[in-house]
Amino acid sequence: MNLDDTIVAIATPPGRGGIGVVRLAGPEARAIVQPMLRLTRELEPNRATRCDLVEPCDADTPVRETADISTTQGATTTPIRIDEVVVTYFAKPHSYTTDDIVEISAHGSPVVLRRVVELSLARGARLAEPGEFTMRAFLNGRLDLTQAEAVRDLIDSQTLFQAKVAASNSKAPSPIASNPSSRN
């Protein structure tokens, strides 16, 4: 494991649902997601941005379907929309891991979420190991060992009482957002 790598993983539980989140963390997170997003403005720290998730024209990862649905006009290719997403960018060091983090919230189709991961891997990200985002938060000083263990306990909790105990032990910054003014 290299802390300088940009990592990617589906951050929501397996299966279909209304929302699914893919998280990238590392120095190239923004550069990796740019080609797969049709943005109307630049990503701003701590601000959610609605945009289209598109199949990049230069996608190095082949689409598994056999039909070619891309539209061509002469020498230019128009990216095809995959989904409407909400993208949130957390700038380092004011993020859960203290790295740059980009979270793409899409509709919870496993096919769409896997495609985001495939495109990210093709652009240089590495698949995150289980618990690696929290491990980075610990190694980068964002969490102490007790807080990191409390995150695991909260995720593994099976009763409301267990969740409350774990949350009270964590006093950790939220993995969803970290208060930029609390740490410099």
Side-chain angles (χ1 to χ4, degrees), residues 36 52-56 80-84 112 115 119:
M36 66 180 91
D52 287 337
L53 174 68
V54 297
E55 185 75 33
I80 299 297
R81 181 177 185 247
I82 298 171
D83 194 3
E84 183 178 35
V112 171
R115 187 62 182 155
L119 291 169

Side-chain angles (χ1 to χ4, degrees), residues 3 7 13 40 48 50 56 63 68 82 85 89 107 119 141 156 161 166:
L3 292 178
I7 57 174
T40 57
R50 191 180 78 194
V63 177
D68 180 14
I82 298 171
V85 299
Y89 165 57
H107 291 96
L119 291 169
D156 290 342
F161 177 75

